[in-house]
Structures are given as structure tokens and as C-alpha cells.
Amino acid sequence: MSGSAGSGLWAGELDGLVGRDDLLARLRDLLGEGGRCAALVGIPGAGKSAVLGCTARAAAAEGWTVLTVTGHAADQGLPFAALVDLLAGAGATDALEQVFAGDPLRLRLDVAGRLEQRAGSGRLLVVLDDVQWFDESSLAVLGFVANRLAGTQVSVVAAARGEQPPDAFLGHPTVEVPALSESQAGLVLRRAGLDLDALAFAAVIDRSAGNPLALLELGRAASSGVDELGLSTVEAAFAAELVDLPAPTRRVLLLAAAGGGDLGVLGRVGRPGQMVAALAVAETTGLVRVVERQVQFRHPLARAAAYSVATTEERLSAHDDLATAYDDDPDRRAWHRAEATVVADEDVAVQLVAAAERAKRRGAGFEATRMMMRAAELSPLRADHDERMLAALAMGFPVGHFEWLAQAAARLREESDDPATRARASHFVAYALAQTMRQTDARLALVDALDQLVHVDQGFGWASLTTLATLTYATGGDTRLVADWLERYDREATPSEGPALVMERAARAWVRALIDPLARPADVLALVRDAPPFDASYPPELVASQEMLLGAAAWILDEPTVARTRQRRAVELMQRAEGSGQLSQTLACLALLHFDVGLYDEVEQAARMLSDVAEVEQLSYAAGNARELRARVAGVRGDVALARRLCAEVLLDIEIGECLALEMSVRVAMSYVHFDEHDPVGVHEQLRGLFRPDGEPVHQYLGYRHLADYVAAAVRAGAADEVGPVMEVAALRMTNPGPRHRLQLARARALIADDPEPFHLEATADPEAAQWPFELANAQLEYGVWLRRQHRPTAARTQLRAAYEVFGRLGARAWADLARTELRAAGVATAQSSSSAWGDLTAQERQVVRLAASGLTNREIGASLYLSPRTVSAHLYNAFPKLGVTARSQLRDIVEAREGS
């Protein structure tokens, strides 16, 4: 955008605005650069809509395409009401059903893609007014899109009442509409032509406190003879104006304020001619106007006044009439019938259940939940109430608001007299808390749920037990508690049959693997390796859950190939199923597996998708997981600034001691940062935190996964003497370890043993070590260094060269540099590695190129990576010159050559 403050197209004077030039200049800058999103806030009447109107006019004059959506209180409970208006304005009316048919993440990406498509080669400005009245589902989608505007041709400005915008737009630059100065306020009154004496003039300016709407409404009241000093608010000024209108006019305005602003709807309530005549009175006073057959109030506060001055009886009657008028819109009809109902009514409840199901199918989980909860309130029978409340809770989990859901579930648990309902409600309380950072509270709630579910609902019981196991991993809790509950369920729960039995076996496999990851029970190993997928006739979400649980168990038990196969299958099934289910947990596990086997681009991709899912579902713990995974990759690859920033963000969001797995993982990521910075003491300080002074691991699983890294750090920092207690405890615990733990123990022993070579050989020569390339390369580096110091240069070169090649392939620059230094000391001249064309690509560009080389179209690539086709095209556009190619057909040779090396 061009132009300076107070001049050109962005001058407020062009729209008759006073004192708003600096504000407009600020908005112009924010929308034209960086994140391209701004939030405009202020009290009612501050002039937000006027500023937005000027912004839209100026942008359009500069050649931008402008789309405007205004929120209405009456539409706040209707699923995607605001988003439908936006897409209609973007010319996507014919594609609305297609847009709303997908899962929540796909929906958000589709909307972002359609806005980019609407922008074309120009610029697009999306103007959102009164977003405090937007429905929650629309807000969630638009907030997600707004967070991803950088680098696009789309900008968003959102205005809301109050001091801060809705949560969806928090984090973006917020601009508050300032109060007018006394001189500016006087200018507004004079320009409005209000004939006030000096005393009234001064009183109005004083009472308005620089609020433009208050100035005009109090000024109009004073000029018409009303005592403006008796009006406490602007809404009261509108109310005073309404009182003088005829009853038929007030009735029409009440209907419009209650959600019947369409002339066609108002005409169906009574006689059209009488309605138009009654409306004309309000049009004459300027209180409303009709634009494109829609009744528009002079200000939202005028609409609020039209509703608030009515009696309860009048409001209920208006909603009842509107329910009848909306005969072609079942969702609005159901909503108005609910608003008109004050006692239990099964017919209304049934209509709300149907509306909730429709909202759920469209991905509007928040509105679906609220409708189902209202249906429960209107249910005459307690059994129907409980069933509908449980359904509402299940609908709510994919869209977050977990504290609210936990409170609702807790109320149901306390109020219901049905044991099964109370038990299931307890499960929902625990599951909701488990999605937050309140991990200890969630664990306590799970114990309560398990106790209630064991005899009334084994399906929910096993779900709670798997969640308890997952939570125990996340918190580093005592696995004996999980073992006790497993023993009780094995002893007391009714045996399952059919699909439930298969799911129970998968759940038991995960729980047993978690209880003692070093034991590796033979029957669990056999199950995770050989259990076939469900029959194709079973629901995809059931198959996905089995694959997720068995894949997680395989990961814990050091079976990376099996684990990755099952988790990839689970992700694919969850993406195809309705809703994302347990996609966040599956993506986190898959990303960890990718990291273990050295597929760092895949880690980046999975972590970014996990971050998107976490934002969609408001999963704070999953968001922390995503940041930590990206930090780990950044640390290995030497992006110190990014790794530090991501680790800091994780630690800022968690309660220290609540999320030990995340805390310990951040320590590992930060140890990579200190290694990049050639700071062995810093590496040691981070990794020593994985173990207690008595040698016990702080987190049993993660501690022993990084045992060798800790010992290597202690040796390099000159603190080898302190590892004794850790190694003593490890030797006692790891009597029959799996391959990875066995290799970790061998590598650690090699670093401190008097005769280290047998341990070096065990750590480097075992064929299974190749499954974990970064760990193997470290073992080879350490063995090579020892060989060189033993004056065995030939053998040293073999180990060091192998380590150097792996570090180079993985992009672990600091480790590659160390290996190269050791190779030179061993008599091998190596050139400083230069960045390859492939290495110049971003992780996402490499993923896109791989898929394009396999023959997928941009749309197919987007579906696979959760990207819009336009974004895929942009990645290929950036990748082609870096790779030195001009055609898609050339990508296959490049990828095959790279992967083959």
C-alpha cells in the first residue's frame, strides 16, 4: 500500500472521519506487510465500522479486491454463518457443500486456498466487522487462515468490541480506536448540523468522552428536547428513540433484531403490506434502512435496544413467529423454537438433535455441541437428557474448549442418577483434562473414571486405561499404577467380543509395553508384528485406533519399521475418516519415529501437520510436542536460533513438573544446540538433567534412550566420574534389553571402560544398529576417535568416514565437522562440504518435490500434505531454479539420484 498518513486515498477526511488518519496509516502498514493481519478494537460507538469502511474504500481504490462480512448477534448460534457469507462473497457459493464436507483441518486449508484463488495475481482484503458476534466455527476457521497469511496476497482486518479481539485473532497486532479529543468532538457535532446551545454542547461533549456514536446520539437527543443527562448509555438513547415509535413498528424491529432481518421472512410473519408500512416509520427516523432486502440498524446498539426494550413475553412470541417463518431453513427454525421454549419439550429437543447432527457433519463442532446441550435441557425424560449430554460432550472434543467440556462433564457426573452415565461422564472429564497441560489433574480424574467404568462400560474403561498409560508416559509417572489397573481390568472386566476384543488386545499391548518398556514381552511383540488390520467392513476410525495403539507399542519396544508402517496407516485412515480422531497423538508418535530413523524432512512435515491439528482442536500439549519436534530437527541441522526459540516457547507454555516427557525432550534438543555451539559443558548440563543424583532416570523411557549421549557429554565435559551411579542402575535394569537400549548401553560402556573395544564393536557392528543412523554414526565417531588415539589410523578411517557420510546425509553439520576434523587427524584430506542444491530446499519443498517426482498432481500432493494446491505450486516454483530444472519430468532423476545415495 502507498500513501502517507493523513493524505491520499487513506485520508479519513475522504469519508468524513475526524481524527482517524494516524489509525488508518497504521492499518495500511499492517495489512501490507508481515503477517498481513490486524485486529481493530474499541468500545461500542468508537467508530470501528467507519474505520473499516474507509479501509475497504481505500484498498479498493488501490486495486484490491475487498470482501466484507459483518457479524450479527442473532446468527451467533448458527454453524458457519459468517463463513458462508464470506465464501458467497468470494464467489464460492457453488462449492459450499464441498467445502464443508471435509474434516476440520481440510476445511481450513480449503478456505485459505479459495481466498488465495480469489486474490489471483492481485491483492485481496478480507474485512471482518463485529467479530464478537461471529459463530465459533467461523471464528476458528478464520483465525487459522489469519495465522497463515504471510507470503500470500491475502490480508485480513477484524474489528471487535472491547479491549482485545476474540481468541482466534489474539497474537496479531491489535490497534485500539482512540477517543476523540475535545476539539475533534466539537468538529463532529458541528459537521452533523446539530443545533445545541452552549450548555448542552459542553454537556454532550463531556458525557460522550470522545465516543463518536455517543456524541451523535446524545446530541440528537439533546437537540430534540430529551434530557441527555438522564441517558446513562448510548443504548439508552436508542431505547428512548424506540419508545416513541408506534407498537407495530416496535414489533417489526423486534422481529428484525431477533434474527428476522430478511424482508421475505418478515413478510411471512404477518401481512406484508402492514409490515412494510410499520417499517417505513423507522426508516423515516433513520433508525434503520433496507439494503438488498435486509433490514440494517443504524448501529448494532440500536439492534440491541430494539430487543432489550421488549418484554419477555414479546421476545418469546417473536422467536415463535420466526420459527414458523423459517419453514425453508430447519437450523434457524430449530434455534428459534428453542429460544421460544421455556419448559421441557421433546418435539423441540428432537429438532435440535437433528440440527446438531447436521452441524456436526459440516464440521461445526462447537455449535453442534451447544445445540445438543440445549436439546438435553429440553428433554422431559432424564434418560434422554443424559444420553444427549454424553453425545454433546463427544461432539465437542474435536474443537477444543476442554476446560468448558470438563466442567460440563463434571456437572453431568454429579447430577445424573445413572451409574453408567456417571462413569462415562468421568471418562470425559479425564479425557478433556488430558488434552490440556493439567496432566496431574487428568491422571487423578482417570483413576476415578476407571473405578466407575470397570463394571458398567468396558469400552470406555479400556479407553481410559490407554489414556492413563499415555499420560503416565507424558508425566513420567509411576507405571505401577497403570499395572495395578491393568491387573484389575483383566480380573474384573467382562471379556469383550468381536471388534471390541481386537481393540482390547491392541489397548492391552500399548499398556503392557508402557508399563515396562525394557521387558519386551514375547506375546506383545508377536501381536505388534503380526496382528492383521481389521476387516475392511469395520469403520475406518476403529481400524485407525488399532493401528495407532499397536504402532505406539512397537515404538516403545524398539520395532521402528513395524511402528512406522502401522502409524502411517493410522494417519492415512484418520485423514480419510470423518474428523481427525486421535490424529494428534498418532502424528506425534510418527514424527518421533521419523526422527529416530533419520528422516528429518518427514519429521518437519509431521510436526507442522501436528501443529495445525493442535491449533484446530486447541490441544496445548500437542502444540508443545510439535514445537519440540521441530526444535530437535533444527538443533541437529544447526539452526540454533530456531531451536532456541521453539524450546523457549515450549517451556513458557508448560507447568514445570507436569509434563516431564516434554521437559526432558527439550533438554535433548538444547543439548544439540550447545553441541552446535561447541559448548561441551552446556551439552553436559542439559543431559545430566535426564538422571537423578542416585542414578535413577527422571523419565525411565527417555533417560535410557539417551544414556550414551549423557555419558559422552560427561566425558567431553571432564565429568566422567559422575556417571557411575547412572551406569550401575542401568546395568541392573537393562538385563535383557531390546536392540536400541542394548546398543545405547554398549556405546556408554565403551566410553568409560578400561578395555572399551568390545563395547565399541558391539555398538557399531550389530546389523540392527543401522535402524538408528544418527546414533550409529555417533558410535562410529567415538570408536574412530579411540582407534586413532590407539595409533590405528586405517581402522579409524573406516569408522570416521562412515560417520562423516551419515552426518553429511542427515544435515548434522556440527557432527560432520567434528568427524571431518578427526579424519584429517587420521591422515585423510576432506574438503569443506558445500551446500548441495537439494540441501538448499526447505523441508517442505523437498517433500513436495518427492511427491511431484512420483507423478502426483498438485491437488493430490496438497491432499497428502494438507496444503492448498496453490501452496504446492509455489513450492515447486521456488524449487525448480534451486535444482536447476525447468520441467516436472526432470524431478524423478534428481530424486532417484538423491535417494539412491
Side-chain angles (χ1 to χ4, degrees):
M1 296 184 180
S2 59
S4 59
S7 64
L9 297 173
W10 289 80
E13 289 290 334
L14 295 179
D15 295 86
L17 298 187
V18 175
R20 299 300 184 227
D21 286 346
D22 290 343
L23 175 62
L24 289 164
R26 174 71 173 144
L27 286 176
R28 177 200 62 211
D29 293 340
L30 291 172
L31 298 175
E33 60 189 28
R36 302 190 183 282
C37 179
L40 184 68
V41 298
I43 63 174
K48 299 181 293 297
S49 296
V51 171
L52 289 183
C54 183
T55 300
R57 189 265 312 151
E62 290 187 346
W64 291 47
T65 299
V66 179
L67 302 177
T68 301
V69 179
T70 300
H72 303 291
D75 292 343
Q76 194 173 22
L78 297 174
F80 294 122
L83 189 59
V84 167
D85 288 347
L86 176 62
L87 291 175
T93 307
D94 59 334
L96 286 177
E97 289 305 315
Q98 175 187 343
V99 168
F100 294 129
D103 63 71
L105 179 54
R106 176 60 60 200
L107 166 63
R108 286 153 174 76
L109 296 169
D110 282 348
V111 171
R114 290 180 186 279
L115 292 178
E116 289 187 45
Q117 184 178 13
R118 184 70 177 84
S121 58
R123 299 296 305 276
L124 173 68
L125 176 63
V126 178
V127 179
L128 307 175
D129 197 7
D130 279 328
V131 296
Q132 76 276 357
W133 297 130
F134 279 21
D135 59 280
E136 284 287 338
S137 293
S138 294
L139 272 176
V141 173
L142 295 171
F144 182 94
V145 172
N147 290 339
R148 288 154 179 79
L149 296 177
T152 73
Q153 296 293 96
V154 180
S155 299
V156 171
V157 56
R161 293 183 188 179
E163 296 181 353
Q164 65 180 32
D167 289 350
F169 292 97
L170 288 178
H172 293 288
T174 298
V175 182
E176 184 173 6
V177 181
L180 298 175
S181 67
E182 287 191 13
S183 61
Q184 291 168 340
L187 180 58
V188 168
L189 286 175
R190 287 191 293 272
R191 284 186 175 180
L194 295 173
D195 185 17
L196 303 175
D197 59 40
L199 184 61
F201 189 89
V204 167
I205 287 181
D206 181 62
R207 292 291 305 282
S208 66
N211 184 295
L213 180 64
L215 272 171
L216 295 173
E217 296 306 323
L218 295 177
R220 288 190 183 101
S223 66
S224 63
V226 175
D227 180 11
E228 83 287 345
L229 297 180
L231 301 176
S232 60
T233 65
V234 177
E235 189 173 336
F238 284 124
E241 189 173 348
L242 285 159
V243 168
D244 293 332
L245 296 175
T249 299
R250 292 200 305 273
R251 167 70 172 167
V252 172
L253 295 180
L254 171 60
L255 289 167
D262 183 90
L263 287 183
V265 174
L266 291 174
R268 289 197 291 271
V269 172
R271 293 181 179 180
Q274 292 178 349
M275 178 272 295
V276 172
L279 190 61
V281 177
E283 290 181 277
T284 301
T285 67
L287 191 61
V288 298
R289 59 177 183 156
V290 178
V291 179
E292 296 181 353
R293 301 182 61 81
Q294 293 286 329
V295 177
Q296 294 184 357
F297 286 81
R298 188 160 76 228
H299 191 272
L301 288 180
R303 175 190 291 270
Y307 193 81
S308 64
V309 297
T311 65
T312 300
E313 181 182 14
E314 289 170 335
R315 293 177 200 166
L316 294 176
S317 175
H319 283 296
D320 192 49
D321 287 343
L322 287 171
T324 302
Y326 277 115
D327 56 352
D328 58 346
D329 190 332
D331 290 339
R332 289 180 188 271
R333 183 172 65 246
W335 184 79
H336 282 293
R337 284 205 66 187
E339 288 296 300
T341 304
V342 294
V343 295
D345 188 316
E346 179 63 12
D347 182 53
V348 178
V350 168
Q351 290 187 37
L352 282 171
V353 168
E357 292 291 350
R358 286 191 295 271
K360 178 187 174 184
R361 287 194 295 272
R362 296 175 71 187
F366 185 82
E367 287 73 24
T369 302
R370 285 185 18 175
M371 288 178 184
M372 191 64 80
M373 286 184 175
R374 181 62 174 146
E377 292 172 1
L378 294 176
S379 301
L381 298 179
R382 183 73 211 194
D384 291 335
H385 169 278
D386 289 355
E387 179 184 348
R388 287 162 180 166
M389 274 301 299
L390 290 172
L393 293 169
M395 286 177 172
F397 281 109
V399 292
H401 300 283
F402 293 111
E403 296 285 354
W404 172 60
L405 289 171
Q407 291 171 9
R411 283 196 302 272
L412 178 60
R413 179 184 59 191
E414 298 304 319
E415 295 171 359
S416 177
D417 55 8
D418 175 48
T421 297
R422 290 201 303 270
R424 290 166 187 158
S426 294
H427 167 81
F428 282 130
V429 170
Y431 188 80
L433 293 175
Q435 312 313 309
T436 70
M437 292 296 185
R438 294 172 57 186
Q439 305 287 283
T440 299
D441 290 342
R443 192 166 68 247
L444 294 173
L446 279 166
V447 171
D448 178 54
L450 285 164
D451 186 52
Q452 296 186 57
L453 289 164
V454 65
H455 296 301
V456 297
D457 194 323
Q458 284 74 41
F460 271 86
W462 281 105
S464 290
L465 187 51
T466 59
T467 303
L468 178 63
T470 302
L471 220 60
T472 300
Y473 172 86
T475 60
D478 191 344
T479 59
R480 288 176 295 184
L481 176 64
V482 184
D484 290 344
W485 278 107
L486 176 61
E487 181 183 350
R488 182 174 173 188
Y489 266 66
D490 283 339
R491 185 177 66 250
E492 299 181 21
T494 303
S496 302
E497 298 179 349
L501 176 59
V502 183
M503 276 301 303
E504 181 183 315
R505 287 172 178 166
R508 186 181 282 105
W510 160 238
V511 172
R512 289 182 61 194
L514 185 280
I515 289 171
D516 188 357
L518 301 179
R520 306 184 84 236
D523 59 329
V524 176
L525 280 171
L527 183 65
V528 301
R529 289 169 179 168
D530 304 327
F534 274 142
D535 185 276
S537 64
Y538 291 159
E541 56 268 24
L542 206 62
V543 185
S545 294
Q546 177 198 243
E547 294 300 288
M548 177 199 69
L549 290 168
L550 293 178
W555 170 61
I556 286 281
L557 298 175
D558 289 345
E559 296 284 329
T561 302
V562 173
R564 287 180 64 234
T565 298
R566 290 195 180 278
Q567 296 288 29
R568 280 202 303 264
R569 188 182 299 146
V571 169
E572 292 167 2
L573 288 167
M574 290 175 183
Q575 288 175 330
R576 291 205 300 265
E578 182 180 322
S580 58
Q582 297 162 307
L583 183 57
S584 62
Q585 298 172 17
T586 312
L587 284 170
C589 186
L590 184 59
L592 287 166
L593 284 159
H594 287 326
F595 186 87
D596 289 345
V597 300
L599 298 174
Y600 297 151
D601 287 348
E602 284 80 351
V603 178
E604 284 266 4
Q605 183 59 42
R608 289 183 184 279
M609 192 182 300
L610 174 59
S611 181
D612 288 346
V613 172
E615 183 177 341
V616 169
E617 301 184 13
Q618 300 181 27
L619 303 171
S620 52
Y621 189 86
N625 260 338
R627 291 190 185 100
E628 184 279 317
L629 286 160
R630 292 183 58 211
R632 207 181 303 190
V633 172
V636 170
R637 286 177 163 171
D639 192 342
V640 170
L642 176 61
R644 281 188 179 279
R645 176 175 65 80
L646 290 169
C647 286
E649 289 175 0
V650 174
L651 295 177
L652 187 64
D653 285 346
I654 65 175
E655 184 83 25
I656 299 300
E658 282 279 285
C659 310
L660 276 180
L662 264 180
E663 289 180 47
M664 298 302 104
S665 296
V666 166
R667 283 189 171 278
V668 173
M670 284 302 300
S671 75
Y672 297 153
V673 169
H674 288 289
F675 194 95
D676 292 327
E677 296 173 335
H678 309 290
D679 176 14
V681 174
V683 176
H684 175 239
E685 284 297 319
Q686 291 296 334
L687 294 180
R688 76 188 302 180
L690 299 180
F691 297 92
R692 298 189 174 94
D694 63 0
E696 291 285 348
V698 174
H699 189 286
Q700 179 172 301
Y701 182 75
L702 289 173
Y704 288 139
R705 278 282 170 99
H706 297 282
L707 174 65
D709 296 328
Y710 160 68
V711 173
V715 170
R716 289 178 181 138
D721 291 345
E722 77 171 35
V723 305
V726 173
M727 291 300 294
E728 288 174 12
V729 173
L732 292 173
R733 294 276 178 79
M734 301 167 73
T735 55
N736 185 31
R740 190 175 185 186
H741 284 112
R742 184 179 69 250
L743 293 165
Q744 281 283 323
L745 186 58
R747 183 181 152 210
R749 284 170 167 166
L751 294 167
I752 57 175
D754 293 333
D755 182 15
E757 188 153 26
F759 300 115
H760 277 306
L761 288 170
E762 183 180 356
T764 57
D766 190 323
E768 291 194 272
Q771 295 180 96
W772 302 283
F774 185 66
E775 295 171 21
L776 173 58
N778 271 287
Q780 291 167 328
L781 172 61
E782 290 154 2
Y783 188 19
V785 170
W786 182 82
L787 288 168
R788 182 183 64 77
R789 291 174 180 172
Q790 298 300 309
H791 307 292
R792 295 163 59 184
T794 302
R797 291 168 195 151
T798 300
Q799 298 296 326
L800 294 171
R801 188 177 287 111
Y804 177 66
E805 290 173 356
V806 171
F807 289 140
R809 176 171 58 82
L810 296 177
R813 287 177 290 187
W815 287 262
D817 288 345
L818 180 57
R820 186 176 62 253
T821 298
E822 290 293 338
L823 272 170
R824 281 202 303 268
V828 178
T830 58
Q832 176 77 33
S833 60
S834 59
S835 64
S836 65
W838 184 260
D840 290 339
L841 301 181
T842 67
Q844 201 156 73
E845 286 170 353
R846 286 193 289 269
Q847 286 288 84
V848 169
V849 166
R850 285 191 185 97
L851 293 175
S854 71
L856 296 185
T857 66
N858 286 4
R859 185 165 295 279
E860 290 168 334
I861 295 170
S864 174
L865 300 181
Y866 271 112
L867 301 173
S868 70
R870 187 182 182 94
T871 301
V872 172
S873 177
H875 283 316
L876 289 173
Y877 178 82
N878 292 330
F880 273 34
K882 294 179 184 179
L883 296 173
V885 302
T886 57
R888 204 179 186 104
S889 58
Q890 297 172 274
L891 296 177
R892 182 175 179 180
D893 291 339
I894 290 177
V895 171
E896 287 182 349
R898 171 67 191 179
E899 304 300 316
S901 66

